Amino acid sequence: MLKTPPPTATAASGHAEGVSDDEFRAAMSRLAAGVVLVTAQEPPLDPDDPTAPAVEDVGMTATAFMSVSLDPPLVLVSLREGSRMDDLLAEQPRWGVSVLSESQRHIAGRFVMKGRISDRLLFQDLPYIRGEATGAPLLGGALATLECRTEQRVPAGDHTLVVGRVLTARVPSAEGGPLLYFRGRYRHLG
């Protein structure tokens, strides 16, 4: 005789299946993740202002980034729905990724701060080059850099999964180890 599964429980947080935000966050914090800086160029906010910059550089630290396919070369980044980068990549299909080294922890923290200063000032003292295919800033000292074109956007809960075709891939620096995020803190191997 088959047993009927019990009705789905709803936790105090409102999630089905009984998992709370805190439980989920604690479990996922045990998954070590690489840290990247996702960058893109935003068109001028006021195109009629001759003193405004032609484009504005935008950057965001991400830990939910992964390789998806070798043929064709695809990557995926998860963006909080409605975030500045999510809104920008909905309009701007070309973007860059810099895989951060353990010595670039300060950069990761800089681009994740709430209430941060303008992105223009955040990039001001950082060594970077402009990507040939995207124009996006690609950090000097990064372990690897990629330039991507959005192929697909997939709504996923409170995030958007952005799948990008890799247009260029470089390994400018082989020095140092990767910057990791584990148990709520930036870490390095060793």
Side-chain angles (χ1 to χ4, degrees), residues 36-58:
V36 301
L37 183 68
V38 179
T39 56
Q41 287 188 321
E42 184 173 53
L45 298 176
D46 186 1
D48 297 328
D49 180 357
T51 63
V55 293
E56 192 76 30
D57 293 325
V58 178

Side-chain angles (χ1 to χ4, degrees), residues 110-129:
R110 179 185 290 196
F111 284 90
V112 77
M113 296 179 341
K114 292 182 181 185
R116 66 190 195 191
I117 57 176
S118 80
D119 285 52
R120 183 182 316 146
L121 295 176
L122 294 177
F123 280 106
Q124 195 169 34
D125 64 341
L126 296 178
Y128 66 86
I129 61 166

Side-chain angles (χ1 to χ4, degrees), residues 21 51 86 149 163:
D21 288 351
T51 63
D86 182 37
R149 182 186 65 234
V163 178

